[in-house]
Amino acid sequence: MHFRGCQIKIVGRIGRTLILTGMCFGMSCGTPRRPPQPQTTEIHELQEPVLATEDLNDEMSIFHLPSFWHTQNQDTIEFKDLKGNVLVVVMFYTSCKAACPRLVADMQSIEAKVRPSAKKNIKYVLVTIDPEVDTPNKLKKFSKINKMDGDQWLFLHSDEESIRLFANVLSVKYAQISPIDFSHSNIISVFDEHGILQHQQEGLGVDNEETVNKIINLSH
Amino acid sequence: MRSLSIYLFSFFVVAISVHAQPSAMARVKGGYYIPLYGMGKDQQVYVQDYYMDVTPVTNRQFYAFIKAHPEWSKSKVKRIFADANYLHTWESDHSYPEKFADSPVNFVSWFAADAYCKCYGKRLPTIDEWEYAAMAGEKTKDARKDSMYIKKILRWYETPKTQTLKVGQSPPNYWGIKDLFGLVWEWAYDFNAIILTGESRNNADTDKGLFCASGSIGANDLMDYAAFMRYAFRSSLKANYTINNLGFRCAKDINNK
């Protein structure tokens, strides 16, 4: 999925139309009753204010996020401190037994494939969705155990609100489904050096060639 | 009592600081309920006591917020936080159609709604809090088996342009809360927490699952069907979307000190 400037609008709009269509379809297979319209969502014509591409890009930057994060090294940072780096971002939690080990493995695999052609400005960012358990210390331990303790690896911890807000930026869905487990979408996102989302890979153990190429192209 | 007076006091201070009256709040006594989609099938969820705005946030109230926080005005808001239709019905940064002053603010993104609530020391209600409050009828905490309750919701689903109606005109529910149905759909804090099952290894099909298969699995009676529409709608949202029939109200923890 491409998230760049104006295109996001179009993607969003088409998505919405499909969803509404999908809902109506869902109704007809489930209920004999006449499908009540969910008050029709008016799809308005695009009324983009005329903005230079650069401005519009800047408006989509995660550097606008107001939240603070703690790293595995106990530093406090904002996303804008990462300006100049290509960011490869995933949301996960360390005590997860099912999906996360594979997600983490996917990150490692991407990192390994990018490394030969890598320039220095790439950060692999793992953001916890379980801030209570995943303290910066815990994240530090996790990074050592998984041999992700080079400078390119960044583990981030914050408060629940900042994490929820960030997940919304990535369109990552997550929910705590038991005291120790979360259900979450498996999305690896790539941001360019200006903090603009450029690429998302969804699913586990998928072919990551496109993601790898994107990262190499964005790093320079 | 002390906490109440502190609460009222802070409420007052906030009200002065932005020169407008935010919505009054009602206290909801928590308890167990079974959500349509939750931790597991038929699993009860415990909802703590909380406060919830009596009415959805209006254009007038939202304008007061923007005056204090111009970064959320139509021209200044960043696209990452709100799409191009943000406050679509407003004529400019400083004017909304006067006839809609007391109608729910619409075309607002999750980010904007979240910022509004925080500005007043509140927060968006969770899905569970919203659903818990919304299952109340006028006389009972749980009216979901009452056919009139369900008919009312479904009738609203079928009525267009209800977002132009004024807030607070309908009778309050058991908790003293109004307009949970009848005017706009509302943002929830964790609207993006909808994933059908605990199956986190399979994410690619969650949306499809929610829209089609689950329509026949989960929504097997009209009560679930009405709720299913809300869950499906929430799940179709992204946090910077702004939509004509989507508004919000705020909630707040109860400080038990």
Side-chain angles (χ1 to χ4, degrees), chain A residues 1 3 8-9 11-13 15-16 19-20 22-23 25-27 29-31 33-42 44-49 51 56 58-66 93 96 98-99 102 160-162 164-169 171-179 182-187 195 200 202-204, chain B residues 38-40 43 75-85 88 107 110-111 114 118 122-123 154-163 182-185 189-204 206-207 211-213 215-216 219 222 225 228-229 232-246:
Chain A
M1 191 195 291
F3 268 70
I8 188 177
K9 295 297 313 158
V11 170
R13 243 150 257 285
R16 238 177 279 176
I19 281 153
L20 287 172
M23 282 172 85
F25 180 70
M27 298 315 118
C29 63
T31 346
R33 195 174 177 279
R34 181 167 72 88
Q37 286 288 332
Q39 303 176 329
T40 326
T41 299
E42 288 171 24
H44 286 261
E45 287 307 307
L46 278 184
Q47 295 191 337
E48 292 285 357
L51 279 178
L56 218 128
D58 173 67
E59 292 217 348
M60 293 305 293
S61 171
I62 52 168
F63 301 149
H64 296 301
L65 296 183
Y93 63 109
C96 159
R102 293 181 58 193
E160 211 276 321
E161 286 187 8
S162 301
R164 178 66 68 186
L165 194 131
F166 187 58
N168 282 341
V169 168
S171 302
V172 165
K173 294 174 186 288
Y174 74 93
Q176 189 151 14
I177 50 168
S178 81
F182 290 79
S183 177
H184 59 98
S185 27
N186 302 307
I187 298 180
Q200 288 195 307
E202 193 162 358
L204 286 172
Chain B
M39 291 188 175
Q43 214 166 327
S75 67
K76 298 221 175 68
V77 72
K78 304 283 183 215
R79 284 286 163 266
I80 193 170
F81 296 135
D83 70 22
N85 278 323
H88 182 74
F107 289 109
W110 179 90
F111 295 108
D114 179 64
K118 278 186 187 147
K122 303 181 187 178
R123 56 177 173 74
L154 293 179
R155 197 179 310 133
W156 165 50
Y157 285 0
E158 293 172 336
T159 312
K161 298 227 183 269
T162 49
Q163 70 272 15
L183 301 184
V184 281
W185 302 66
Y189 173 69
D190 54 348
F191 79 94
N192 69 352
I194 309 290
I195 301 179
L196 268 187
T197 65
E199 177 51 83
S200 49
R201 277 156 297 184
N202 169 17
N203 73 323
T206 46
D207 282 359
F211 289 123
C212 211
S216 45
L222 285 178
Y225 174 72
F228 165 72
M229 293 296 285
F233 181 63
R234 286 183 195 121
S235 155
S236 73
L237 297 170
K238 287 188 177 177
N240 72 340
Y241 280 10
T242 68
I243 298 176
N244 65 331
N245 57 12
L246 180 60

